[in-house]
Amino acid sequence: MGPLADRQLDVVVVGAGFSGMYLLHRLRQLGFSTQVYEAGSDVGGTWYWNRYPGARCDIESMDYSYSFDPELEQEWEWTERYSTQPEILAYANHVADRLDLRAEIQFDTRVTSAVFDEATARWSVSTDQGETVSAQFVVMAVGCLSTTKQPEVPGVDTFAGPTYHTGRWPHEGVDFTGQRVGVIGTGSSGIQSIPLIAEQAAHLTVFQRTPNFSMPAKNAPLDAAFVRQRKATYRQHREEAKHSPVGVLLDIPEELAVEADPAEREARFHEGWEAGFLFGVSRTYGDLLLDPAANELASEFVRGRIRDIVDDPAVAEALSPRNHPFGTKRPCLDTGYYATFNRENVTLIDLHASPIVEITPAGVQTSDREVELDVLVFATGFDAMTGPILGVDIVGRDGQPLREKWSAGPRTYLGLATAGFPNLFTVTGPGSPSVLSNMMVSIEQHVDWITDCLVALREQGASTIEATVAAEDGWVEHVNEVASMTLMPQANSWYMGANVPGKPRVFMPYVGGVGLYRELCATVAEKNYDGFETLASLARGLAHSACRPAAGATGPSGLRAT
Ligand code: N01
């Protein structure tokens, strides 16, 4: 066990983004003593850190918001179809004020370790502020995309000018006026920021390793009549979204793209493109993420739009994704991204044709030229899903570090818990739909499930709950099986951990859909937490080893059959 704990708590929550905020609210309502630790200086999580120009949501504002409080959703007014980062952060602040959350959030504090003590069945949680507390439960509400990834390029620290990572943007903003700017990375962050940086910079050079599929956001001010109508039916809308595949309402027809009449198919793809919706094109036919031939039809449609927009055919071709199926890396929603490459002051460097050799004090040296720059922007993404969890030194039963347990990839039961780590929960962790869904819907479902579980344990007088190895093995197998039925594992995506050198290649999120997943989680709870073992307070110790299943034992039947 670590240093002597100063305080005894029921729950420590790590992170005060939308997960940690709602958790705190629920735990407080239910009478659990709770401390939230947050590395940032205020609430908001991803929306606190990602302040780069153009940062905005790619799920519609009226869906990307809490549903747990009907008054809150009626009183808050979103101004645009897709909210900007400042507006979402203002919303997070509004919620924190309204629910008076800050009293139990300690800001500017990073949790460094959490060590489970078997003798007391409690976690000893330490922070970088030198504090250690004891808690019965720890909930990792650390977000999926909060550990930034720098470009692994020689000389990255030698650049003479300022460098900025999109995921750690300065609060005061950056003025690019008159500057020669380089942006490395063309994922969602690069694609959102590039058009705005181009408008300000003297010259912008975009270093692209993998072209991405992006669709126009068609963002606009929200129409008052639409808002009135949505607010009138908000409850029903939210309920339907919770049971849908991705947490927003969309109909995916069963018709197959490969069987459709070509003219009709083209028209339907166009309609999807013009919808300005993340799933606009992918929802048009039922086989796009299942059948390579169908996917190629959609991919080629998007490439056609890129050719329509970009004047220089060579640049259009370089911007056209050809190394992964459409939708297997998260598609992007943009405002003027492809058209930005028609500007005189923008240059695209295709790193496949001329890779970066090194970053020098003066700029970026590729295999065929040196690009002199005043400023460098790294839009190079995140060590997704596992990075923020493994950033904390978590040690479970038998002194096992979580980093060791997950050395070949994350292993969870339902993305909520991991065997050998009693009373530790993850919100939207690997093995759950999380990043493949409207995060707000998935966050609320996990928070409700976890807090209901804590209440059940309290009522039963149980001191610990732990996923069994067998249930976890069954779930991991199911997650892999469902992913392998789709084209998703084919891309070198951050879903696969492929963007971080040396990270195990495992498809991390659960593709089964949030509606089905919600039912599975509810069934587990209804069956008195099937696949978990709980221990009564008094019977701890001896009973523990007695009721632990042998590794490889049969998993809970209800989960594997799906
Ligand atoms: O990160 P990314 P992101 N040399 O990993 C490139 C969410 N999000 O911050 O593809 C050169 O997608 C890398 O290349 P490659 C959303 O879920 C949402 O943009 O690995 N290039 C890629 O082009 C999103 O998916 C919004 O070959 C290097 C880019 O950097 C997720 O966050 C907005 C490199 C990284 O793209 C992550 O998005 C923003 C190197 N060494 C983000 N290393 C919304 O709209 C990396 N790259 C809500």
Side-chain angles (χ1 to χ4, degrees), residues 46-47 50 52 55-59 64 145 149-153 165-167 184-192 207-212 323 329-333 351-352 356 378-382 435 492-495 498-499:
T46 196
W47 302 104
N50 287 267
Y52 58 85
R56 67 169 75 236
C57 199
D58 58 9
I59 298 287
Y64 191 85
L145 296 158
K149 191 192 86 79
Q150 301 295 318
E152 43 295 300
V153 176
H165 192 289
T166 47
I184 300 180
T186 51
S188 300
S189 305
I191 282 176
Q192 286 186 331
F207 297 89
Q208 172 194 271
R209 190 163 70 181
T210 308
N212 239 311
N323 78 343
K329 287 184 132 182
R330 187 179 167 102
C332 307
L333 276 190
L351 298 180
H352 277 292
I356 297 178
F378 302 142
T380 42
F382 302 88
V435 291
N492 288 327
S493 64
W494 57 258
Y495 299 140
N499 63 329

Side-chain angles (χ1 to χ4, degrees), residues 60-123:
E60 294 188 36
S61 314
M62 296 199 72
D63 284 309
Y64 191 85
S65 50
Y66 285 127
S67 75
F68 69 85
D69 183 342
E71 274 179 34
L72 171 66
E73 73 187 6
Q74 291 296 328
E75 81 186 12
W76 183 262
E77 298 291 345
W78 296 106
T79 62
E80 293 179 70
R81 181 182 181 190
Y82 294 106
S83 304
T84 59
Q85 172 272 331
E87 191 162 300
I88 302 173
L89 190 58
Y91 172 75
N93 277 287
H94 171 76
V95 175
D97 292 341
R98 192 176 193 278
L99 302 176
D100 189 24
L101 296 178
R102 289 190 181 82
E104 275 125 327
I105 306 174
Q106 187 171 317
F107 294 106
D108 301 306
T109 303
R110 189 171 282 281
V111 169
T112 50
S113 72
V115 180
F116 186 70
D117 177 34
E118 291 186 55
T120 58
R122 294 180 70 83
W123 287 91

Side-chain angles (χ1 to χ4, degrees), residues 68-387:
F68 69 85
D69 183 342
E71 274 179 34
L72 171 66
E73 73 187 6
Q74 291 296 328
E75 81 186 12
W76 183 262
E77 298 291 345
W78 296 106
T79 62
E80 293 179 70
R81 181 182 181 190
Y82 294 106
S83 304
T84 59
Q85 172 272 331
E87 191 162 300
I88 302 173
L89 190 58
Y91 172 75
N93 277 287
H94 171 76
V95 175
D97 292 341
R98 192 176 193 278
L99 302 176
D100 189 24
L101 296 178
R102 289 190 181 82
E104 275 125 327
I105 306 174
Q106 187 171 317
F107 294 106
D108 301 306
T109 303
R110 189 171 282 281
V111 169
T112 50
S113 72
V115 180
F116 186 70
D117 177 34
E118 291 186 55
T120 58
R122 294 180 70 83
W123 287 91
S124 177
V125 180
S126 300
T127 73
D128 64 356
Q129 300 302 306
E131 187 183 5
T132 298
V133 296
S134 166
Q136 188 180 358
F137 300 97
V138 173
V139 187
M140 301 298 286
V142 287
C144 298
L145 296 158
S146 46
T147 303
T148 55
K149 191 192 86 79
Q150 301 295 318
E152 43 295 300
V153 176
V156 69
D157 296 326
T158 67
F159 183 62
T163 59
Y164 304 100
H165 192 289
T166 47
R168 287 287 178 278
W169 205 257
H171 289 201
E172 63 280 12
V174 180
D175 184 2
F176 293 108
T177 309
Q179 306 279 296
R180 295 165 304 170
V181 184
V183 174
I184 300 180
T186 51
S188 300
S189 305
I191 282 176
Q192 286 186 331
S193 56
I194 283 164
L196 291 170
I197 296 174
E199 281 175 16
Q200 216 181 40
H203 194 91
L204 171 64
T205 306
V206 176
F207 297 89
Q208 172 194 271
R209 190 163 70 181
T210 308
N212 239 311
F213 290 99
S214 188
M215 291 164 292
K218 308 265 172 178
N219 185 45
L222 271 175
D223 171 55
F226 167 77
V227 173
R228 261 197 312 280
Q229 193 272 338
R230 173 57 54 81
K231 285 192 172 180
T233 55
Y234 231 151
R235 294 289 81 203
Q236 186 193 338
H237 178 84
R238 300 283 205 186
E239 204 47 39
E240 286 172 21
K242 283 178 186 175
H243 296 277
S244 68
V246 291
V248 293
L249 296 192
L250 73 159
D251 288 326
I252 303 182
E254 287 186 0
E255 293 153 89
L256 305 180
V258 286
E259 291 176 357
D261 167 72
E264 198 186 298
R265 184 173 57 223
E266 189 74 359
R268 198 181 287 189
F269 283 159
H270 264 287
E271 203 183 300
W273 174 268
E274 292 298 325
F277 180 47
L278 194 58
F279 307 99
V281 174
S282 53
R283 67 159 179 199
T284 48
Y285 290 97
D287 53 351
L288 297 187
L289 283 176
L290 302 173
D291 177 353
N295 191 286
E296 178 53 24
L297 294 167
S299 300
E300 188 47 32
F301 168 81
V302 178
R303 290 183 211 120
R305 303 292 67 69
I306 299 170
R307 288 191 290 272
D308 287 348
I309 300 168
V310 179
D311 297 339
D312 181 334
V315 175
E317 179 52 28
L319 286 165
S320 296
R322 294 197 185 271
N323 78 343
H324 63 281
F326 171 73
T328 56
K329 287 184 132 182
R330 187 179 167 102
C332 307
L333 276 190
D334 72 86
T335 302
Y337 175 64
Y338 293 118
T340 297
F341 294 90
N342 294 334
R343 294 176 65 104
E344 289 290 315
N345 70 333
V346 175
T347 307
L348 177 70
I349 296 199
D350 175 0
L351 298 180
H352 277 292
S354 47
I356 297 178
V357 175
E358 61 174 337
I359 292 176
T360 66
V364 174
Q365 176 71 54
T366 70
S367 59
D368 64 6
R369 67 183 121 159
E370 180 168 27
V371 183
E372 292 194 357
L373 298 166
D374 303 309
V375 186
L376 255 176
V377 173
F378 302 142
T380 42
F382 302 88
D383 180 357
M385 302 199 82
T386 50

Side-chain angles (χ1 to χ4, degrees), residues 20-61:
M21 292 169 65
Y22 180 41
L23 258 169
L24 173 58
H25 174 59
R26 281 275 291 174
L27 289 166
R28 218 160 49 177
Q29 279 182 325
L30 295 166
F32 291 101
S33 63
T34 305
Q35 178 66 57
V36 182
Y37 291 109
E38 165 56 52
S41 301
D42 210 337
V43 296
T46 196
W47 302 104
Y48 172 87
W49 297 106
N50 287 267
R51 299 172 186 243
Y52 58 85
R56 67 169 75 236
C57 199
D58 58 9
I59 298 287
E60 294 188 36
S61 314

